[in-house]
């Protein structure tokens, strides 16, 4: 019996298989028992709860959809989504950690890597014996990664890498970075290992958001990358964008966890907080807020569920993933702010998870493509006209 029951107003659980429910409940219990008790302390201190990494691996959460021959759980996208939802109820930083390792590190190695790269890296990443990160964003190229200036030059037996990446989740603790750089003007993916000479990953400090997550720069000064460390099946911007589809999908589900945490706090608080002689839940203005939250959560859940089934049957378009990422992040932030309003002054305290979620969601709305980028991606799909430039 878990402490958190979530909200499922449309009985979407009736559509889940026993295996999908089992995954959700296992992660839910893990979050209740192992994450909730420690996460505020880590958030306040600006540290990632590294002691949880092995437990995440034991739950089979890294590369959860990849084949069992690599030590992965080989589950479907509903199970992946539900796991992300439950983790983000704990904290967006925890979901980020798993999204990056799974969608941005294991996925490209599995999809664009050589047999040797897959055999070497995937079992180690699944077991969390190795940690990975993904370097696409640069100081001067965020929404427009195609302009990147990090570059590789062919050398004897490999490549020489120069440039810098910024805002990289897990960067300072990663054993391997998937780095996107231009080789003769074409974007290629490289596996840069932490001990390579000329490579450093200083941690970025001073964040007010995603404080329980590590964010770093990646700096490359004449780094020699052996030929065996280039991803052989990736050439062009489309390939890192394919990785983003996986991670954006996990965000669409993840933020529903944040929504549920905030909604639950607001609902419980509103029933016990007495003002003007009655619980604030008895006032129509509060009920309007709760009804708004429950309705938006339900819409996001339905969107995610259908998206998962489209993805599992290879029918999903990347623009559909953009729509869920855009909508669910926007709604999650609105719900966090509305929940904070219901809690009044108490809403700013660390005793409640609301302000932490609200702050985290500012990053989640920005990374993996901002609200504006996803709006333009959908706009282009609808009209056939690109409005990026
Ligand atoms: P554009 O010309 O539109 O596209 C180039 C080629 O890629 C194709 N394409 C996609 N393919 C697969 N999936 C997608 N999502 C795709 N989007 C576009 C496109 O069809 C084209 O193919 P081809 O065959 O014609 O070459 O590119 P553009 O230069 O105009 O740029 C637009 C774009 C899509 C890059 C921009 O809209 C965008 O998405 N910007 C956002 C950048 C972003 O999301 N960065 C994320 C960095 S990683 C991160 O934030 C990790 S946070 C992780 C965590 O902690 O959880
Ligand atoms: P900019 O691109 O400079 O955009 C600034 C503003 O201008 C935004 O509002 C944007 O929407 C708007 N804008 C830009 N172009 C247009 C346009 N054409 N039309 C209208 N509006 C426009 N990146 C990685 O590669 N790996 C990671 O692991 C990673 N982790 C991250 C972790 C955190 C905590 C954060 C905050 C970011 C992370 N990122 C990572 C980077 C993230 O993907 C970028 O921040 C994001 O893509 C936006 O880029 P930017 O911050 O440079 O904003």
């Amino acid at each position: 019996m878990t402490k958190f029951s979530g909200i499922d107003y449309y009985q979407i659980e009736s559509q889940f298989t026993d295996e999908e429910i089992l995954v959700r409940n296992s992660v839910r219990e893990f979050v209740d028992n192992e994450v909730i008790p420690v996460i505020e302390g880590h958030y306040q201190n600006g540290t990632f709860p590294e002691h949880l990494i092995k437990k995440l691996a034991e739950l089979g959460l890294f590369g959860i959809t990849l084949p069992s021959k690599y030590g992965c759980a080989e589950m479907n996208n509903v199970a992946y989504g539900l796991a992300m939802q439950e983790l983000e109820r704990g904290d967006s930083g925890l979901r980020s950690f798993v999204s990056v390792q799974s969608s941005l590190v294991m996925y490209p190695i599995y999809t664009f890597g050589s047999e040797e790269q897959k055999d070497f890296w995937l079992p180690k990443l699944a077991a969390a014996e190795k940690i990975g990160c993904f370097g696409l964003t640069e100081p001067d190229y965020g929404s427009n990664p195609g302009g990147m200036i990090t570059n590789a030059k062919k050398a004897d037996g490999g490549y020489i890498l120069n440039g810098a990446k910024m805002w990289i989740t897990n960067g300072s603790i990663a054993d391997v970075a998937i780095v996107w750089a231009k080789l003769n003007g074409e974007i290629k993916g490289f596996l840069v290992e932490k001990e390579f000479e000329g490579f450093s990953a200083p941690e970025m400090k001073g964040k007010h958001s995603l404080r329980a997550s590590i964010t770093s720069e990646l700096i490359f000064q004449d780094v020699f990358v052996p030929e065996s460390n280039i991803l052989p099946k990736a050439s062009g911007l489309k390939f890192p964008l394919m990785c983003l589809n996986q991670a954006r999908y996990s965000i669409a589900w993840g933020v529903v966890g944040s929504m549920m945490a905030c909604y639950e706090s607001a609902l419980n608080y509103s029933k016990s907080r007495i003002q003007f002689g009655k619980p604030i839940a008895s006032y129509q203005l509060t009920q309007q807020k709760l009804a708004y939250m429950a309705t938006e959560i339900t819409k996001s859940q339905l969107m995610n569920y259908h998206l998962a089934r489209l993805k599992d049957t290879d029918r999903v378009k990347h623009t559909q993933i953009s729509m869920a990422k855009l909508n669910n992040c926007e709604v999650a932030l609105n719900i966090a702010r509305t929940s904070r309003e219901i809690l009044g002054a108490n809403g700013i305290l660390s005793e409640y998870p609301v302000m932490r979620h609200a702050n985290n969601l500012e990053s989640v709305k920005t990374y993996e493509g901002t609200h504006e980028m996803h709006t333009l991606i959908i706009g282009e799909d609808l009209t056939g006209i690109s409005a990026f430039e």
Side-chain angles (χ1 to χ4, degrees):
M1 190 64 191
T2 65
K3 294 174 208 152
F4 178 77
S5 54
I7 165 170
D8 182 12
Y9 205 73
Y10 268 26
Q11 298 162 31
I12 303 167
E13 183 177 317
S14 62
Q15 302 300 307
F16 297 154
T17 64
D18 289 347
E19 191 180 54
E20 290 160 1
I21 293 172
L22 186 68
V23 170
R24 186 202 60 193
N25 289 351
S26 310
V27 182
R28 185 168 282 185
E29 204 171 317
F30 164 75
V31 167
D32 275 336
N33 296 336
E34 313 255 359
V35 178
I36 302 289
V38 303
I39 198 65
E40 265 301 335
H42 280 282
Y43 188 89
Q44 296 283 339
N45 294 333
T47 51
F48 179 71
E50 290 188 37
H51 69 285
L52 296 177
I53 296 175
K54 278 282 167 213
K55 295 181 182 172
L56 292 165
E58 281 159 22
L59 283 166
L61 298 185
F62 296 124
I64 188 171
T65 58
L66 298 184
S68 55
K69 73 170 179 164
Y70 297 115
C72 303
E74 202 167 336
M75 289 192 175
N76 67 10
N77 280 290
V78 175
Y80 180 34
L82 285 168
M84 297 301 106
Q85 171 190 293
E86 294 306 317
L87 283 182
E88 195 143 359
R89 178 176 66 90
D91 193 82
S92 302
L94 202 63
R95 196 270 310 138
S96 259
F97 185 90
V98 178
S99 290
V100 168
Q101 180 95 341
S102 301
S103 296
L104 298 180
V105 179
M106 296 175 76
Y107 169 85
I109 293 173
Y110 175 69
T111 314
F112 317 132
S114 65
E115 290 308 316
E116 294 72 26
Q117 289 166 351
K118 289 193 243 187
D119 289 342
F120 180 80
W121 287 106
L122 293 177
K124 294 181 178 62
L125 290 159
E129 286 161 21
K130 299 283 183 192
I131 305 301
C133 70
F134 177 90
L136 181 65
T137 306
E138 299 190 354
D140 294 327
Y141 295 93
S143 297
N144 175 25
M148 69 174 67
I149 47 183
T150 297
N151 68 86
K153 287 199 167 59
K154 189 76 191 90
D156 217 13
Y159 306 89
I160 302 290
L161 202 59
N162 277 290
K165 300 286 174 181
M166 202 170 175
W167 296 110
I168 307 306
T169 302
N170 302 347
S172 317
I173 56 164
D175 300 288
V176 62
I178 306 286
V179 177
W180 300 93
K182 282 184 180 161
L183 176 68
N184 300 324
E186 187 165 38
I187 295 174
K188 303 287 287 181
F190 298 87
L191 298 165
V192 178
E193 297 176 43
K194 72 171 175 199
E195 60 275 9
F196 285 1
E197 210 171 312
F199 174 44
S200 57
E203 189 172 348
M204 296 172 68
K205 295 287 187 185
K207 290 180 297 176
H208 283 273
S209 172
L210 273 186
R211 288 186 54 74
S213 169
I214 292 167
T215 313
S216 315
E217 291 175 65
L218 305 181
I219 298 166
F220 315 100
Q221 290 176 314
D222 289 329
V223 179
F224 176 75
V225 181
E227 186 68 53
S228 55
N229 280 33
I230 192 169
L231 290 172
K233 295 181 213 151
S235 281
L237 182 59
K238 190 185 179 91
F239 293 81
L241 294 176
M242 285 168 69
C243 307
L244 300 189
N245 295 338
Q246 314 305 315
R248 289 167 177 175
Y249 172 81
S250 70
I251 291 172
W253 278 87
V255 294
V256 172
S258 299
M259 295 182 207
M260 286 181 176
C262 292
Y263 166 78
E264 192 200 39
S265 288
L267 179 66
N268 291 340
Y269 188 86
S270 70
K271 289 198 276 192
S272 62
R273 175 72 177 169
I274 310 292
Q275 287 295 290
F276 299 97
K278 286 197 280 187
I280 58 171
S282 65
Y283 300 120
Q284 290 179 356
L285 290 176
T286 308
Q287 291 190 7
Q288 186 272 335
K289 288 176 177 150
L290 294 169
Y292 162 79
M293 290 191 223
T295 306
E296 291 303 329
I297 291 171
T298 304
K299 283 152 71 178
S300 296
Q301 287 170 326
L302 287 168
M303 208 169 189
N304 285 345
Y305 175 72
H306 190 66
L307 197 64
R309 295 292 184 223
L310 286 177
K311 199 164 182 304
D312 275 331
T313 47
D314 286 331
R315 289 178 295 154
V316 76
K317 295 198 314 182
H318 69 79
T319 55
Q320 293 167 328
I321 297 175
S322 280
M323 188 179 274
K325 197 276 180 184
L326 172 148
N327 177 76
N328 296 2
C329 289
E330 175 82 351
V331 165
L333 251 178
N334 290 342
I335 287 177
R337 289 173 184 147
T338 308
S339 172
R340 213 288 305 148
E341 282 169 13
I342 291 176
L343 269 73
N346 277 321
I348 71 161
L349 288 180
S350 59
E351 196 181 329
Y352 300 92
V354 173
M355 198 75 188
R356 178 166 50 81
H357 280 294
N359 285 348
N360 283 342
L361 288 165
E362 293 291 344
S363 288
V364 180
K365 192 181 176 192
T366 296
Y367 66 32
E368 290 290 349
T370 62
H371 190 81
E372 291 77 14
M373 285 304 106
H374 291 295
T375 305
L376 296 181
I377 289 168
I378 296 166
E380 182 180 11
D381 190 44
L382 297 177
T383 63
I385 304 166
S386 166
F388 287 107
E389 292 165 23

